[in-house]
Amino acid sequence: MTRFTTAAVFALTALCGCAHLASSRAIFTGSANAGDGPLVLRITRHMEEIVHGPDIDEDQLLVLELRDFELNKKLAIPSEKVTLGFSVTRFGPSSKDVTSKGYIIVRSVSDKKVVSHLHLDIVARTSDGSYTQQVKFHGDYTFDRESDHD
């Protein structure tokens, strides 16, 4: 029974394609003060995916640049006040943002932390168009100030 259960779990996982978030990091640069330039939020996350067999490693990078925002106000992504950059790097091809839709709410900003709520759906495609994926960033994020030696 144990062998059957293990085989069934492995088969279902391989068929559905599951992702495991191995590590994530959220940092920011810039300032929320007027005249000090944009506030840049960066999320890097490493994914380990099981898609049709062996593990595939994937590194995702999301960069949001915010200008002229107010605390606790919803900002559409993308918009005049929020620009977005997204890329995915896998063993071979890498993907770029094709379409994105969502919003960000900046809850608080200090010298060391930015707290926000992010709800963002991205559709990315490899440069040759052979692979399309949907990526979600949903939830509360705390961004730490990027240090000079990172």
Side-chain angles (χ1 to χ4, degrees):
M1 186 74 165
T2 305
R3 286 184 191 168
F4 176 74
T5 303
T6 304
V9 168
F10 179 76
L12 286 173
T13 302
L15 287 174
C16 71
C18 297
H20 169 68
L21 179 62
S23 63
S24 181
R25 184 167 181 230
I27 58 174
F28 80 96
T29 57
S31 172
N33 297 326
D36 288 344
L39 179 65
V40 180
L41 307 176
R42 182 178 292 125
I43 299 174
T44 56
R45 60 187 187 184
H46 178 76
M47 307 289 283
E48 293 177 0
E49 293 190 11
I50 301 173
V51 181
H52 307 297
D55 287 349
I56 295 175
D57 287 333
E58 178 174 292
D59 292 309
Q60 299 177 351
L61 172 63
L62 173 68
V63 179
L64 299 171
E65 188 173 307
L66 285 64
R67 293 168 300 287
D68 300 323
F69 65 91
E70 296 178 42
L71 294 180
N72 298 308
K73 299 261 177 147
K74 189 184 286 189
L75 291 173
I77 303 173
S79 67
E80 290 181 10
K81 293 186 177 190
V82 182
T83 55
L84 172 137
F86 177 75
S87 64
V88 175
T89 305
R90 298 181 134 210
F91 283 137
S94 49
S95 302
K96 296 279 186 194
D97 171 46
V98 173
T99 59
S100 57
K101 184 176 181 181
Y103 64 88
I104 186 168
I105 301 170
V106 178
R107 302 279 188 214
S108 67
V109 178
S110 72
D111 286 340
K112 295 183 180 183
K113 293 198 181 300
V114 173
V115 178
S116 68
H117 178 78
L118 181 60
H119 186 94
L120 181 61
D121 297 322
I122 298 172
V123 176
R125 180 173 293 124
T126 56
S127 57
D128 66 1
S130 64
Y131 180 73
T132 300
Q133 70 185 123
Q134 295 182 3
V135 180
K136 296 181 184 293
F137 291 88
H138 293 182
D140 296 325
Y141 289 86
T142 299
F143 297 84
D144 296 313
R145 176 160 301 277
E146 182 176 35
S147 66
D148 293 334
H149 50 27
D150 282 345

